[in-house]
Amino acid sequence: MLDQVSGTPRESDRVWSNDGVTRVPFWIFQDKAIYAAEQQRIFQGPSWNFLCLAIEVKNTGDFVTTFVGDTPVIVSRDSDGELYAFENRCAHRGALIALESRGNTKAFTCVYHAWSYDRQGNLKEVAFKEGIKGKGGMPPSFCMEQHNPRKLRLAEAFGVVFGSFSNDVPPLEEHLGEEIYSRIGRVMSGRTPVVLGRYTQALPNNWKLYMENVKDSYHASILHLFFTTFELNRLSQTGGIIVDPSGGHHVSFSAIDPNAAKSSDYDAQDLRSDSEFKLADPSLLQSFKEFPDNTTLQILSVFPTFVLQQIQNAIAVRQIVPRGPDKTDLHWTLLGFAEDTPEQRMTRLKQANLVGPAGYISMEDGCVGGFVQRGILGAPDEQAIIEMGGSGTDSSESRVTEASVRGFWKAYRARMGV
């Protein structure tokens, strides 16, 4: 909403209708003032935001451009071997400093007026700073050290790089908690990741709808026909969810048991759990044992917008980037490991067809958020019902629950004060 006197954005006057997280008002996905407040309170507040993988900035001079919320950021590696991150915004007139998504450079120079920054984000040169022939130029009082872009704190978890604009966020491992931290290590530690591919998926919905979807283990084997047809993920399988005490971070996991009898639960619900569809190339379903715990699916999220995925041997990180109240970009980075055999690498490449904008599984997630955004358009004051599995946000051996979705809203309400 707008302030009626100044016309400037201010936080919405709407209030959450109850004290819990089993009802979520639809205006939370539509309100422009709420979206603006999220950028300040969540993304630029005491959060650790996923930026990139350390291997993407491996060498001196390597850099990537990324985002914290909708704020553009540069991550670079300097000659001291350390990573640095700073806002991708020239201190002069606000233009992007780096235009490429990644590369290698000795310095960053804004194309607009050639203000130049080192790889740590320090302003080093201003074109014609002294003027020409004693005329023009910057005033004597101008001090370049006072005009650096905003810098971020950095921390890593097993080669996954997080950043924060806040000095109040606790150390990363403490912020994540032991269970979430160790589950990142389960996938990423002890080997060298290799990027197999990248793509960006444009989603026609609010960023929170996708984060809800990620945390919603209840939908996965109902919406995704591929999961149930080929029995990659059913709620009747062994598994569970982990929700950290803040509610913001979660893990959902399950294991295929080839010796288990086929469950009749899906048939009894008359769900589209079986179909006539077959694969022309059944090798897509072949996998290799990668982890000693036999878990074949693990979806992990870190509040507010990071996802680490293991679907059989398809490993990926996802970064959710808000683009407005009803637009989101989803950046996928597909991973293999340097230690993979050629056969394992081929398996990962085949299984990469499960995810992404046209994936056999993820394509539906890209659609359903848009269905919700369109469905709630005329009903901002109505509410979603999030009661599957009760009203709490505790970890559970059952995945027939929305506890981790409620956990997201617990963390969200605490950060936003709504």
Side-chain angles (χ1 to χ4, degrees):
M1 299 181 70
L2 296 180
D3 186 287
Q4 294 182 359
V5 176
S6 66
T8 58
R10 61 183 176 86
E11 191 172 347
S12 173
D13 289 331
R14 289 186 168 119
V15 294
W16 210 290
S17 63
N18 65 63
D19 294 330
V21 289
T22 62
R23 297 291 187 274
V24 176
F26 292 139
W27 54 258
I28 206 75
F29 304 109
Q30 301 171 316
D31 196 293
K32 292 180 180 179
I34 287 292
Y35 177 84
E38 290 168 350
Q39 301 305 313
Q40 296 299 317
R41 296 189 182 187
I42 294 178
F43 296 104
Q44 308 213 16
S47 297
W48 283 109
N49 300 272
F50 170 72
L51 298 178
C52 64
L53 298 170
I55 56 163
E56 298 181 275
V57 278
K58 179 180 179 180
N59 303 309
T60 297
D62 285 352
F63 73 90
V64 297
T65 53
T66 182
F67 293 88
V68 171
D70 58 15
T71 299
V73 169
I74 297 170
V75 182
S76 66
R77 192 175 295 277
D78 204 3
S79 55
D80 61 0
E82 297 295 322
L83 289 177
Y84 297 88
F86 49 96
E87 192 172 2
N88 188 5
R89 177 183 56 82
C90 183
H92 181 213
R93 301 275 287 277
L96 292 172
I97 299 170
L99 302 178
E100 299 83 8
S101 60
R102 63 196 69 250
N104 186 280
T105 188
K106 293 182 178 179
F108 298 94
T109 301
C110 176
V111 68
Y112 198 0
H113 298 94
W115 285 34
S116 185
Y117 304 82
D118 66 17
R119 292 181 296 224
Q120 298 185 24
N122 300 308
L123 179 61
K124 289 297 185 180
E125 296 182 15
V126 172
F128 303 116
K129 177 174 176 289
E130 306 301 328
I132 297 178
K133 296 180 180 181
K135 297 181 180 181
M138 301 298 288
S141 61
F142 179 76
C143 178
M144 288 195 293
E145 290 78 8
Q146 297 177 359
H147 296 283
N148 299 323
R150 290 186 300 163
K151 298 182 180 183
L152 289 81
R153 295 173 58 194
L154 293 181
E156 288 188 35
F158 306 101
V160 182
V161 181
F162 293 85
S164 180
F165 282 110
S166 172
N167 291 321
D168 297 326
V169 63
L172 179 60
E173 188 169 354
E174 177 185 338
H175 176 75
L176 296 175
E178 172 57 30
E179 286 188 296
I180 303 300
Y181 184 81
S182 64
R183 285 280 182 158
I184 296 176
R186 171 187 172 274
V187 176
M188 300 296 293
S189 68
R191 47 190 182 166
T192 307
V194 175
V195 175
L196 302 182
R198 301 181 180 89
Y199 36 74
T200 295
Q201 185 174 1
L203 304 177
N205 53 262
N206 187 276
W207 69 274
K208 299 185 292 297
L209 286 172
Y210 186 79
M211 204 57 176
E212 272 195 333
N213 177 272
V214 165
K215 292 173 175 291
D216 178 6
S217 57
Y218 167 47
H219 89 278
S221 59
I222 300 174
L223 174 67
H224 302 308
L225 183 61
F226 194 93
F227 265 157
T228 50
T229 298
F230 300 106
E231 298 191 48
L232 298 182
N233 181 16
R234 289 189 175 211
L235 293 171
S236 52
Q237 292 171 346
T238 300
I241 63 166
I242 300 168
V243 184
D244 86 301
S246 78
H249 321 312
H250 104 291
V251 179
S252 175
F253 61 95
S254 62
I256 297 173
D257 182 356
N259 299 316
K262 186 173 181 179
S263 170
S264 62
D265 294 322
Y266 281 78
D267 293 337
Q269 295 288 321
D270 195 25
L271 300 174
R272 53 182 197 135
S273 57
D274 293 293
S275 73
E276 73 281 6
F277 295 116
K278 307 295 180 185
L279 287 172
D281 180 9
S283 68
L284 175 66
L285 299 176
Q286 294 175 359
S287 60
F288 59 91
K289 184 174 180 178
E290 190 166 1
F291 304 100
D293 61 5
N294 296 319
T295 294
T296 51
L297 183 144
Q298 175 183 289
I299 303 296
L300 178 152
S301 70
V302 173
F303 187 89
T305 52
F306 171 72
V307 182
L308 174 62
Q309 157 211 305
Q310 174 221 339
I311 302 175
Q312 290 190 293
N313 305 116
I315 310 296
V317 295
R318 313 176 199 169
Q319 180 188 26
I320 303 166
V321 180
R323 292 299 194 189
D326 59 357
K327 294 180 181 179
T328 303
D329 281 349
L330 181 60
H331 298 318
W332 296 77
T333 304
L334 304 181
L335 298 177
F337 297 88
E339 296 79 8
D340 290 345
T341 66
E343 293 77 16
Q344 290 172 336
R345 180 63 52 82
M346 181 56 67
T347 296
R348 294 194 197 281
L349 291 172
K350 286 185 176 181
Q351 291 183 7
N353 290 292
L354 298 174
V355 298
Y360 289 119
I361 297 168
S362 301
M363 176 175 59
E364 293 142 342
D365 290 327
C367 294
V368 74
F371 296 163
V372 175
Q373 195 77 45
R374 289 157 57 189
I376 66 175
L377 188 61
D381 295 317
E382 299 296 329
Q383 303 176 97
I385 302 167
I386 307 179
E387 289 187 359
M388 184 62 66
S391 60
T393 61
D394 295 332
S395 301
S396 169
E397 294 182 358
S398 171
R399 291 178 297 131
V400 190
T401 179
E402 293 168 315
S404 48
V405 181
R406 291 189 290 270
F408 172 80
W409 292 113
K410 175 184 175 181
Y412 179 90
R413 294 194 70 176
R415 296 290 184 87
M416 290 291 291
V418 294

